[in-house]
Amino acid sequence: MRPKLLKIRKAVNVPFSFTKQSASVAIPHIWISIENPGDEATKLRPNDARKNFLRLQVADTDDKTAPGAITENQAEDLLRFVVRHAHPNLTVIINCTAGVSRSAAVAAALTNLSGMDDTPFFKNYSPNSLIYRTMWNVGGDLLGGKPEKEITNG
């Protein structure tokens, strides 16, 4: 059984275009928008079900030395944001430009840290391996345990 280090209902990844429908999400949620460094800030429509919003500027790269690559500090800030709002009925919505790589990596890592199966993210999307590994490593350290597995390549 996977250790349940984080208590959330589920994490979902969506493309940027879904932000236009952000006002219609009726379930309790927090929203994480992953944007390219230098991009204009995502603007979400008001929504009483949204508990909070985090904007993160991270490049879609697997090279940790590349400009804009995710840092451990960014991963820790993201995880602390989720932990601060964690609740068994909470859904975490993560968007990036296409909803395929960066948001899928964060959703997969949060799912794994929550003790749930992250396999669907790897079957249906192409999670960014650097973001997943960084979230996995920081999450294990921050939350006091290591999730079940780590990916070794993208």
Side-chain angles (χ1 to χ4, degrees):
M1 174 167 242
R2 296 173 194 268
K4 190 167 188 164
L5 304 176
L6 183 62
K7 293 180 178 156
I8 60 173
R9 181 173 170 262
K10 69 178 179 177
V12 296
N13 58 305
V14 297
F16 178 78
S17 60
F18 189 77
T19 60
K20 294 175 186 163
Q21 299 157 0
S22 62
S24 65
V25 178
I27 56 174
H29 67 279
I30 57 175
W31 196 295
I32 299 167
S33 181
I34 303 173
E35 304 162 359
N36 294 317
D39 277 1
E40 185 176 325
T42 298
K43 293 178 177 81
L44 299 178
R45 296 178 180 160
N47 183 326
D48 290 338
R50 185 177 318 111
K51 305 305 177 197
N52 214 327
F53 173 76
L54 175 70
R55 178 178 183 238
L56 183 66
Q57 291 195 330
V58 174
D60 193 0
T61 180
D62 290 324
D63 178 0
K64 67 180 179 181
T65 64
I70 192 167
T71 66
E72 288 186 359
N73 287 340
Q74 288 175 308
E76 184 173 335
D77 289 347
L78 192 157
L79 284 162
R80 287 189 187 282
F81 173 77
V82 174
V83 167
R84 188 169 45 250
H85 299 284
H87 185 278
N89 292 325
L90 181 74
T91 295
V92 181
I93 300 173
I94 307 109
N95 84 270
C96 65
T97 305
V100 174
S101 181
R102 292 172 292 176
S103 61
V106 171
L110 292 176
T111 297
N112 189 293
L113 289 164
S114 299
M116 296 179 280
D117 183 14
D118 61 5
T119 303
F121 294 100
F122 293 95
K123 285 184 177 178
N124 300 314
Y125 304 99
S126 300
N128 178 295
S129 62
L130 176 63
I131 293 172
Y132 184 89
R133 279 194 314 268
T134 303
M135 294 287 298
W136 191 90
N137 288 326
V138 170
D141 293 341
L142 181 68
L143 301 171
K146 289 290 184 188
E148 182 177 286
K149 67 177 178 73
E150 175 182 13
I151 60 170
T152 55
N153 55 30

